[in-house]
Amino acid sequence: MKVRETSIAGLFEISLDINRDDRGSFREAYQREKLLALGLPDLGVVQWNISTNVSRGTLRGIHAEPWDKYIHVIAGEAYAAIVDLRDDSPTYKQYEQFTLTPENAIFVSRGLGNSYQTLTDDCVYGYLVNQHWSPDAQYTLISYRDPELAIPWPVSPPIVSAKDEGHPSLAERG
């Protein structure tokens, strides 16, 4: 495993070691001790979530949940845009882009807006979190179409839920 710091504090990209042979492959997608030794914070995993996405172009986000995430695409590929939505951050409103595959992962600190669009059919997107989901959790939700961010989504038109279509822009959020 290798860790790369990004321009946004609390956002890291992790390159995974893949062992392949004629049967397929094996990878450690998350290994606490190795990641701690490489300087990542201890996630303290309490829940594992998996999102299956049938069609290329499926877009989810932008959601900033009140917990940290360790994100890994189990199958397929996805384009991820992680936006700093922490009002007091020097990189507020900036984002980093990643192509997520089974060969990498990202660590996303709370307050960073997570969003992704699938680049393949049958994309399986998994993430570990350090707090249990709650219907009372306070999220920051921003429109994936926000003109101030101008995220270059790679697949058009996107497949988006009605809920994600209704998120406000940064200007509307105030």
Side-chain angles (χ1 to χ4, degrees), residues 95-171:
Y95 66 90
E96 289 268 350
Q97 305 168 75
F98 304 90
T99 298
L100 298 177
T101 71
E103 297 187 358
N104 66 347
I106 53 176
F107 182 98
V108 179
S109 293
R110 69 190 70 222
L112 300 179
N114 177 50
S115 59
Y116 69 94
Q117 185 176 42
T118 59
L119 300 175
T120 58
D121 290 340
D122 301 316
C123 182
V124 181
Y125 180 96
Y127 55 101
L128 304 169
V129 296
N130 58 1
Q131 288 187 20
H132 293 284
W133 179 86
S134 164
D136 301 324
Q138 296 297 309
Y139 294 71
T140 300
L141 305 170
I142 300 297
S143 173
Y144 71 94
R145 295 184 308 244
D146 189 296
E148 191 172 349
L149 296 174
I151 295 172
W153 299 107
V155 181
S156 183
I159 301 167
V160 183
S161 72
K163 185 177 177 183
D164 282 353
E165 281 288 353
H167 297 333
S169 68
L170 286 165

Side-chain angles (χ1 to χ4, degrees), residues 13-14 16 18 20 27 71-79 98-106 119 123-124:
E13 182 175 23
I14 300 95
L16 304 177
I18 310 284
R20 292 181 173 86
R27 65 187 177 269
I71 300 168
H72 175 62
V73 168
I74 298 161
E77 291 188 4
Y79 165 86
F98 304 90
T99 298
L100 298 177
T101 71
E103 297 187 358
N104 66 347
I106 53 176
L119 300 175
C123 182
V124 181

Side-chain angles (χ1 to χ4, degrees), residues 20 22 58 60 68 82-83 88:
R20 292 181 173 86
D22 57 349
T58 299
R60 298 179 189 260
D68 302 322
I82 309 300
V83 183
D88 60 347

